[in-house]
Amino acid sequence: MIDEMSSSRTDAPCGWQILNDPRRNLGGAFTDQEREEHGLVGLFPDAVESMDTQLARARMQCAEQSSDLAKYVFLSALQDRQERLFYALLRSDFERYMPIVYTPTVGEACQKFGHILRRPKGMYLSLRQKGRLAQVLRNWPIEDVRFIVVTDGERILGLGDQGVCGMGIPVGKLALYTACAGVPPEVTLPIALDLGTNNQAFLADPLYPGLRQPRVDGEAMAEFIDEFVDAVQEVFPNCCIQFEDFTNKNAIPLLERYRDRVCCFNDDIQGTASVAVAGLFGACRLSQMAMKDQRLLFLGAGNAGVGIADLFVKHLTSQGVPVAEAVAQCWFVNSRGLVHAGMPRLPEYLTRYAHSLAGLTIPPSAPSGADSPMTQLLDCVETIRPTGIIGVSTVASAFSEPVIRAMARLNTRPIVFPLSNPTSKSECTADEAIRWSDGRAIIATGSPFPELSFGGKRFVPGQGNNVYIYPAVGLAIYATKAQRVTDEMFLCAAESLARETSEADLSVGLIYPPIESIHETSVRVAIEVARFVFDAGLAREDRPSDIAAFVRAHVYDPAF
Ligand code: NAD
């Protein structure tokens, strides 16, 4: 029962409310004058503290936490207490804090969400609210929400069904919209759609905080999501919806259903594609090869793999390569083996990459009755002879020593992108890719790996992290009030990001700009995407004379 706080003073000034509002609470930074004006005198110790002092304290407190998960909980509490300090801390050291608020630690945070839960963030829309989602959305206190990241928790990173505990992902992604690109936090809203869960451990756990029933799918799911999308249009008409961590059988159809109707995108598909294609541009600079000469073999034929292939094809066709030729450069291996034209039960989105095997010499590796004549990745590499292998399978160690040695034999500079997250699912480590290729592999990893040396040379593994893309695209959408989000915007982001990689970065094998500079990188990429949005006639804002200044004027600055 909600007590009306009958014992509280009605004549107290608003200082206490400021202290308890994370958006307005500046900790000890309030000046003497502000303390007098807002009734804050006596609510803080005497010293007026600079942001640097408070950052030093927060840094020290975070470092004292005993595990990455404890650091996650600490940072989450800081966000709930003092939002500006939280963002200033993230921005002060991305390399240190990003792996905590996002992958890989966020994976563990989702798995243990029901146990570490303190103050819930964002909104939880469960099947029990079906029929009144618009009314429920109005419980959110901010009127002009501009970004919703929404998940149904069914495929969280490579960790499977996390039910409502998948909320860690929208929360973490939106924190990075703000930290990296400067999208103001007040316009963002993380949402978990609770459609039940098939995670038996969760259903048996008394601390699981979601709907305690098996997950619904099919028609019932479609109706619920339709109502949700309509409700967002009604309550937050300028909002962009980012679909996140839906399972692949739903993600692609959902994107197809809504992309031309409302302002939305799917980061697992389009953001991943963009950062991977940016990595391929960087790889081409290192290997002195053209994009059109790359032949890619994808391990994993889900959201990420198909998204990357589609954007790669879009780039090649924009350069005049016929579609059929571009598509023929992409091959897929799924859990049943090499995808080919005769493979049964192929999902619609994969059929264009199901090539004929005529003319290829097929090694006799597959068991009889298999759906594919090639079930071993090594055989696929030897037969297809790719210039790059892209791991989006969630199969740890799938890029084995023989696979990478084969890539290194076939290519002077083999492209090896083990993109699966979290670290425990990575197809290989950065160190393995470099060692087994005698230092010649061009790598991008999904999770962060430390820099290393081989043969007396320093290597800095680039993280093919979507965070290089979606916050920047988000800032452009926010500033321009884009009506729709198109693949071409993601291609523009990939090209702009690739231009941000310097020769010095490339000299240590780094095909992305350093993560420390991600804020400025994101803003610069956002400026290019915003320019594209204006040129394409997709903006709802009038075109300004100086697009760079216009975008920069929208950037949130946590300084106080
Ligand atoms: P998904 O579930 O849509 O696809 C996974 C695919 O892997 C499925 O097609 C599945 O059939 C296939 N697969 C499973 N076992 C396999 C096996 N033994 N051999 C070959 N293929 C197998 O997931 P997704 O969204 O495509 O993501 C895949 C992975 O990529 C996840 O770990 C995710 O975290 C990671 N990812 C990384 C980035 C990034 O680093 N930028 C971005 C997006 C996704």
Side-chain angles (χ1 to χ4, degrees):
M1 269 216 335
I2 298 174
D3 182 354
E4 284 300 321
M5 290 181 68
S6 52
S7 63
S8 66
R9 295 170 56 92
T10 50
D11 58 345
C14 63
W16 181 254
Q17 286 161 15
I18 293 175
L19 187 62
N20 285 291
D21 177 350
R23 208 147 272 165
R24 291 189 295 162
N25 180 12
L26 305 183
F30 291 110
T31 61
D32 284 343
Q33 191 186 343
E34 287 166 337
R35 293 178 191 209
E36 290 292 347
E37 276 173 12
H38 301 298
L40 287 159
V41 177
L43 300 184
F44 291 96
D46 192 70
V48 173
E49 293 183 329
S50 67
M51 175 169 268
D52 283 347
T53 305
Q54 294 193 38
L55 279 175
R57 182 183 295 118
R59 229 172 255 137
M60 185 190 73
Q61 291 174 347
C62 191
E64 280 168 354
Q65 305 302 313
S66 57
S67 65
D68 284 346
L69 187 64
K71 290 184 169 87
Y72 176 93
V73 172
F74 169 82
L75 289 174
S76 175
L78 179 61
Q79 189 180 14
D80 288 341
R81 196 169 63 239
Q82 241 187 290
E83 191 175 72
R84 284 181 173 275
L85 188 60
F86 168 77
Y87 284 114
L89 185 68
L90 259 51
R91 231 179 244 183
S92 74
D93 193 345
F94 282 108
E95 211 171 340
R96 182 185 304 267
Y97 296 115
M98 205 141 73
I100 296 171
V101 295
Y102 204 61
T103 64
T105 310
V106 74
E108 189 185 356
C110 289
Q111 289 172 307
K112 297 182 179 154
F113 181 83
H115 293 208
I116 63 173
L117 183 61
R118 266 83 172 163
R119 190 185 155 168
K121 294 178 169 64
M123 296 197 82
Y124 300 79
L125 304 179
S126 95
L127 286 172
R128 292 203 303 129
Q129 283 109 39
K130 189 165 182 293
R132 58 183 187 112
L133 293 183
Q135 179 201 345
V136 175
L137 282 178
R138 288 198 177 88
N139 285 341
W140 190 249
I142 306 291
E143 216 171 305
D144 190 18
V145 170
R146 302 285 291 278
F147 276 99
I148 285 173
V149 175
V150 62
T151 186
D152 72 343
E154 191 171 5
R155 198 243 62 196
I156 294 299
L157 304 173
L159 302 170
D161 186 349
Q162 302 296 310
V164 81
C165 298
M167 182 56 141
I169 298 292
V171 168
K173 284 237 151 161
L174 284 169
L176 297 184
Y177 265 96
T178 302
C180 297
V183 173
E186 61 271 22
V187 304
T188 68
L189 169 56
I191 293 187
L193 299 180
D194 193 348
L195 299 161
T197 181
N198 294 334
N199 185 323
Q200 296 307 317
F202 281 177
L203 289 173
D205 181 353
L207 296 185
Y208 177 65
L211 206 53
R212 213 167 276 274
Q213 68 166 60
R215 182 177 282 284
V216 302
D217 58 9
E219 203 46 42
M221 175 186 187
E223 270 177 28
F224 189 73
I225 294 185
D226 256 352
E227 184 190 336
F228 165 71
V229 171
D230 287 346
V232 171
Q233 306 315 301
E234 185 184 324
V235 181
F236 307 121
N238 291 319
C239 188
C240 174
I241 301 174
Q242 179 184 325
F243 294 106
E244 186 67 36
D245 280 6
F246 284 77
T247 193
N248 62 354
K249 75 175 191 308
N250 293 322
I252 296 171
L254 278 177
L255 184 60
E256 291 311 317
R257 182 166 173 77
Y258 299 115
R259 64 187 306 163
D260 296 327
R261 274 207 243 159
V262 305
C263 182
C264 70
F265 69 98
N266 182 308
D267 183 55
D268 306 311
I269 301 171
Q270 295 159 289
T272 304
S274 184
V275 78
V277 168
L280 291 173
F281 284 128
C284 286
R285 278 170 70 188
L286 265 180
S287 65
Q288 308 278 305
M289 278 177 77
M291 278 290 252
K292 70 175 175 37
D293 296 328
Q294 301 296 349
R295 189 175 320 118
L296 304 176
L297 179 64
F298 294 86
L299 182 71
N303 297 334
V306 174
I308 298 168
D310 285 351
L311 200 65
F312 173 72
V313 166
K314 196 161 270 264
H315 166 70
L316 292 191
T317 51
S318 76
Q319 302 301 301
V321 177
V323 180
E325 264 176 46
V327 166
Q329 298 292 75
C330 301
W331 288 79
F332 280 85
V333 177
N334 69 12
S335 50
R336 295 181 284 149
L338 184 72
V339 171
H340 63 100
M343 194 177 223
R345 302 185 310 282
L346 273 183
E348 168 66 26
Y349 60 80
L350 204 54
T351 47
R352 74 167 172 162
Y353 298 112
H355 307 306
S356 161
L357 300 181
L360 295 177
T361 310
I362 311 291
S365 70
S368 66
D371 287 343
S372 172
M374 265 185 279
T375 53
Q376 302 300 315
L377 180 60
L378 181 59
D379 289 340
C380 300
V381 166
E382 296 286 7
T383 307
I384 305 299
R385 304 171 70 84
T387 57
I389 48 175
I390 299 186
V392 275
S393 64
T394 72
V395 181
S397 306
F399 292 171
S400 61
E401 182 167 352
V403 165
I404 291 181
R405 289 209 179 276
M407 284 297 292
R409 180 166 41 76
L410 294 167
N411 298 283
T412 315
R413 299 299 310 265
I415 294 171
V416 178
F417 287 2
L419 293 180
S420 286
N421 285 320
T423 318
S424 60
K425 306 281 178 185
S426 189
E427 284 81 4
C428 66
T429 65
D431 180 67
E432 288 167 346
I434 294 297
R435 250 185 314 118
W436 295 337
S437 66
D438 301 320
R440 287 184 285 122
I442 301 173
I443 53 175
T445 60
S447 291
F449 284 97
E451 69 173 69
L452 55 122
S453 65
F454 180 85
K457 197 171 176 279
R458 176 173 165 245
F459 289 90
V460 182
Q463 197 189 343
N465 192 326
N466 301 28
V467 80
Y468 280 114
I469 298 292
Y470 72 82
V473 173
L475 177 60
I477 294 169
Y478 169 63
T480 61
K481 282 199 184 157
Q483 296 163 9
R484 296 286 178 272
V485 189
T486 64
D487 287 340
E488 286 72 14
M489 285 158 68
F490 283 96
L491 196 51
C492 170
E495 287 163 353
S496 317
L497 176 62
R499 283 195 294 272
E500 295 296 318
T501 309
S502 68
E503 290 301 320
D505 299 330
L506 290 175
S507 72
V508 288
L510 185 59
I511 54 173
Y512 296 105
I515 209 84
E516 304 91 82
S517 58
I518 191 161
H519 175 51
E520 181 55 20
T521 299
S522 300
V523 174
R524 289 164 63 93
V525 171
I527 290 167
E528 293 313 309
V529 178
R531 197 182 309 284
F532 179 89
V533 172
F534 283 118
D535 289 348
L538 290 168
R540 280 178 280 192
E541 290 284 357
D542 292 336
R543 187 188 184 99
S545 55
D546 183 341
I547 292 177
F550 170 79
V551 170
R552 286 186 188 278
H554 284 79
V555 173
Y556 166 83
D557 181 1
F560 49 73

